[in-house]
Amino acid sequence: MRAIPTQRETTSCAPDAQGRTRVEATLSGSPLAPGSARAMLRKALTEWAQSSADGADLLTGRVGDDAALVASELVTNAVVHAGTEVRLTCRLEDTGALVVEVADLHPSRAPRDAAEAPAHDLPEYGRGLRLVAALAESWGVTYRAGSKTVWARLPTRGEAPAGPSAAYAGERASARDLRAAALLASDPLDPLAPRGHDGPREGPRDGPRDAWRAASYGDDWLARRPGRDGAWLGRGALSFLAEASDLLAGQLDEDLVASLTGQLIVPRLADWCAVWLEDEATAHGGRPGAGGRLARVWHAGEHLVEELSRALERTPPPRTDDPLGTGPLPYPWPVLDAAGTGDAQVIDGVESAGAALAYRLVAGGRPLGTLVIGRGGIDRFPDEITGLVEDLGRRVALAIGAARQYARQATISAVLQRGLLPGAVAEIPGVRSALVHEPCDKGGPSGDFYDLFPAGHGRWCFAVGDVQGKGPEAAVVIGLVRPWLRLLAREGYRVADVLDRLNQLLLDDATEAADAAARALVAAGARPTAPGDGPQTRFLSLLYGELVPFEGGVRCTLASAGHPLPLLLDPEGRVRAVAQPQTLLGVVEDAGYTGETFEMYSGDTLLCVTDGVTERRSGSRQFDDGDGLARALAGCAGMEAGAVADRITQLVHEFGARPPADDMALLVLQAE
């Protein structure tokens, strides 16, 4: 095998003479070229996404995944069919379109797809240009003297979503992954693929197995040619596994992983497949190998899926002596009803019409489920197929394990989040309120928090805060701060005094944590910590205030400790800041905080946000650039508190094409 392909020439991401950001590389014509192309393209897109180029902020996520798949397929096509060096070019045009070009040095060979292969030639069984056509806005071929270039243009901008909830819908991502999986596994020359018939065909059969096969796919299954598995495996297996890994990696739902698995395997490697998933109790030492839940059944003949599911339910995977083994084990061929009556029966007196194998799905030493594949008309699967499915099964198991870990973390996060936020907010006489809290990471506790509570003696207090960092460390700080705030407020301390004492409590807690860590290191004989090691200072930004209703309005006293300043909107649409910036909490001893008092009358609206709102990014711009938040609030004149909160949240989401990269909290208080 040749050495790993190298990039002979690569330009920076600076715009070229036509104002386009581009990157180029020359790759050797070896099987490793597609992987090098994917790596190079992902690196370039990541760099562009961090630049200020127009539209560059849209290149991560699904657009980047589509571009990597397109580049990989075009390079694979060039390597297989041309066999020369390949020149890959990717450019971001000033229109925002992403263009991928792959040139080879064999212009006499047209780019080929399996569907276009001549009958006398051995088909390559690649995804070919169908995958490119499905993902690209447009594509084409350019011929020049001595070279041929296949290009594809991918849009980076779609139609504006209807609202924040639709802007980053996970359903679109799932549908895209399922479509790509189907393209990876599909084979238009494969006689297993249904060809427009609605059910079993009538006609002569060559035997009982032929009857089963014809009932499933029609008579043209007999066109299967010997050696086709080996031909495809020799050329496409590595690329298939690489692309399958890309699709499975990062999936956060185990049922979606099962669906992707079915589409990857059928009909490329088998006529049908099924995935059983074992529950957490079984995976942690219950009854391994006892079957589990039948999560997904996939069949090349869609009209047989329901009957196949019923047959498989009657025969779950058996218990095994080695529940952690991943090698293929025989599985009894399911008895189907070819006539579609729903009654299980033996077809033409034969109990077996093909070969079926079961693979245990194991990750991290834990059994997670079973993958079963079947192909009719054969006595045994070729060794190449069994080995490839075992490799794929390991990737499926890792994806299922990762999805379950994410689900566990998401559950823990939700429980923690519920404990860190108030179960209900107080109702204040003469004041309407509205709250929005959106963590950006569903797998960990948010660093943003809020509170609105009665403090006694006709006073109500509110807080909007942002803790340094996220996850468990942030949860610890919030778990300290919220009870302290409530205790100090109910003890009658003024706004400024509450911040002074909270600041000192955070500093004392950080000092105690550092001393305890140092003592533990000394006791263990460890080396002294370097600067930056060990416990870090626990600091946070906080907007804290006190409300006292009176006849005709409400008196508000508040202070901002390193927090975005609160904005006050009057009924005429004028907006002004009602606090002065002060030092973060937990940073400076004896900071000496001060509060500011103002009065709110009917229709006055106070908006308090975290920096997830003000620093929402779109390329190099932020939402609050040029007083963007104040302008957005001015447009909410005349709205009630809930409508103001909804409008600001919608504008924040619409400001950027990608999901927010920070937690977001928002509190609206409005005098009635």
Side-chain angles (χ1 to χ4, degrees):
M1 181 179 292
R2 294 187 183 183
I4 295 177
T6 58
Q7 298 178 162
R8 296 190 174 184
E9 180 182 355
T10 304
T11 66
S12 67
C13 64
D16 62 10
Q18 286 75 39
R20 300 171 301 194
T21 303
R22 63 186 292 140
V23 65
E24 297 179 349
T26 299
L27 309 173
S28 63
S30 81
L32 299 180
S36 296
R38 288 195 302 273
M40 186 210 75
L41 192 60
R42 290 188 187 280
K43 180 176 182 294
L45 295 181
T46 300
E47 292 175 354
W48 294 350
Q50 297 170 353
S51 73
S52 59
D54 184 31
D57 60 309
L58 307 173
L59 295 177
T60 56
R62 292 301 169 185
V63 173
D65 292 342
D66 287 352
L69 279 172
V70 167
S72 178
E73 188 52 44
L74 291 181
V75 170
T76 299
N77 206 317
V79 169
V80 170
H81 298 299
T84 70
E85 285 187 343
V86 176
R87 187 171 187 81
L88 171 66
T89 303
C90 181
R91 67 175 186 270
L92 178 63
E93 297 185 331
D94 51 8
T95 62
L98 184 67
V99 179
V100 178
E101 297 179 348
V102 174
D104 61 63
L105 305 180
H106 207 314
S108 62
R109 289 192 179 182
R112 294 172 54 203
D113 186 58
E116 302 168 357
H120 64 274
D121 194 15
L122 184 65
E124 300 293 351
Y125 299 106
R127 276 93 58 207
L129 299 175
R130 286 171 293 134
L131 180 59
V132 176
L135 298 179
E137 181 182 56
S138 59
W139 66 276
V141 185
T142 302
Y143 292 92
R144 297 183 179 88
S147 69
K148 172 183 82 273
T149 301
V150 185
W151 57 268
R153 175 176 284 103
L154 290 86
T156 59
R157 295 177 178 140
E159 295 182 0
S165 61
Y168 326 107
E171 289 78 5
R172 292 197 314 227
S174 300
R176 177 263 186 199
D177 285 342
L178 290 170
R179 178 184 59 171
L183 288 166
L184 280 170
S186 63
D187 181 357
L189 291 182
D190 190 346
L192 300 181
R195 302 197 179 173
H197 61 84
D198 298 324
R201 298 184 180 183
E202 299 300 329
R205 307 288 183 241
D206 294 336
R209 292 187 180 180
D210 293 0
W212 189 91
R213 296 283 288 160
S216 302
Y217 314 112
D219 294 325
D220 50 359
W221 75 267
L222 295 170
R224 175 184 290 277
R225 285 187 285 181
R228 62 179 299 272
D229 290 327
W232 176 77
L233 287 168
R235 285 191 165 102
L238 292 178
S239 181
F240 172 83
L241 281 176
E243 302 294 354
S245 298
D246 284 348
L247 282 172
L248 294 170
Q251 300 298 340
L252 305 180
D253 182 90
E254 61 181 72
D255 288 307
L256 178 57
V257 172
S259 294
L260 288 170
T261 302
Q263 293 213 22
L264 285 167
I265 290 177
V266 178
R268 169 67 67 201
L269 304 175
D271 299 344
W272 57 266
C273 82
V275 177
W276 278 264
L277 295 177
E278 299 179 10
D279 59 25
E280 290 292 311
T282 301
H284 286 79
R287 295 182 62 243
R293 170 175 64 92
L294 183 58
R296 185 63 176 171
V297 175
W298 200 268
H299 199 297
E302 293 187 11
H303 61 288
L304 290 175
V305 170
E306 185 176 351
E307 174 59 24
L308 177 60
S309 299
R310 288 195 291 267
L312 294 173
E313 288 279 10
R314 295 191 292 266
T315 312
R319 299 185 62 179
T320 61
D321 295 333
D322 181 13
L324 301 183
T326 60
L329 298 173
Y331 180 86
W333 186 261
V335 178
L336 299 183
D337 174 20
T341 64
D343 298 325
Q345 63 182 23
V346 176
I347 299 176
D348 285 358
V350 177
E351 295 183 358
S352 176
L357 295 173
Y359 296 80
R360 295 288 287 154
L361 300 174
V362 178
R366 293 175 177 175
L368 304 179
T370 304
L371 168 65
V372 176
I373 63 172
R375 177 182 286 184
I378 61 173
D379 295 320
R380 60 183 297 273
F381 275 93
D383 292 340
E384 296 86 354
I385 293 290
T386 60
L388 181 59
V389 174
E390 186 173 359
D391 286 340
L392 179 63
R394 282 192 285 266
R395 290 160 171 79
V396 171
L398 289 172
I400 293 172
R404 289 188 172 182
Q405 180 65 23
Y406 176 84
R408 286 193 292 269
Q409 291 176 346
T411 301
I412 294 171
S413 173
V415 172
L416 282 174
Q417 198 71 68
R418 286 196 297 269
L420 297 174
L421 297 175
V425 296
E427 293 186 4
I428 307 172
V431 178
R432 301 188 187 96
S433 64
L435 284 160
V436 174
H437 183 263
E438 293 185 359
C440 71
D441 181 8
K442 307 303 182 185
S446 168
D448 290 5
F449 69 97
Y450 63 85
D451 208 350
L452 182 59
F453 58 92
H457 307 291
R459 300 156 49 242
W460 281 262
C461 294
F462 64 91
V464 177
D466 186 359
V467 178
Q468 172 206 17
K470 294 180 176 64
E473 281 292 331
V476 169
V477 179
I478 296 173
L480 295 172
V481 169
R482 278 193 59 245
W484 284 344
L485 276 176
R486 290 195 170 207
L487 177 62
L488 292 170
R490 287 167 178 168
E491 287 293 321
Y493 286 100
R494 297 181 300 115
V495 168
D497 295 332
V498 168
L499 294 187
D500 286 337
R501 283 160 174 75
L502 185 58
N503 181 58
Q504 193 59 50
L505 286 167
L506 287 170
L507 290 169
D508 292 345
D509 184 73
T511 300
E512 292 173 3
D515 290 343
R519 289 193 298 269
L521 286 172
V522 171
R527 62 174 177 81
T529 58
D533 292 346
Q536 302 296 308
T537 302
R538 293 170 173 175
F539 62 82
L540 75 149
S541 70
L542 180 68
L543 179 64
Y544 173 69
E546 177 184 283
L547 299 171
V548 180
F550 62 86
E551 185 68 28
V554 60
R555 183 175 297 105
C556 179
T557 302
L558 53 74
S560 175
H563 203 80
L565 299 181
L567 299 177
L568 183 65
L569 168 70
D570 66 24
E572 285 73 38
R574 294 185 295 266
V575 177
R576 63 185 176 94
V578 286
Q580 297 297 320
Q582 300 181 72
T583 307
L584 287 165
L585 294 172
V587 177
V588 180
E589 292 268 5
D590 301 324
Y593 294 93
T594 60
E596 301 180 44
T597 301
F598 59 94
E599 294 180 347
M600 296 172 57
Y601 297 95
S602 178
D604 287 343
T605 302
L606 182 68
L607 174 64
C608 310
V609 303
T610 59
D611 60 9
V613 173
T614 57
E615 298 178 5
R616 168 76 159 120
R617 299 189 68 88
S618 177
S620 61
R621 298 180 299 119
Q622 294 186 352
F623 184 76
D624 199 32
D625 286 350
D627 293 327
L629 180 59
R631 292 198 310 273
L633 180 59
C636 298
M639 296 183 180
E640 293 190 353
V644 173
D646 291 341
R647 177 60 177 162
I648 298 298
T649 303
Q650 179 182 9
L651 291 175
V652 171
H653 280 277
E654 292 177 350
F655 183 73
R658 290 182 294 169
D662 196 3
D663 305 322
M664 180 169 63
L666 184 151
L667 169 65
V668 177
L669 299 170
Q670 187 176 69
E672 294 182 342

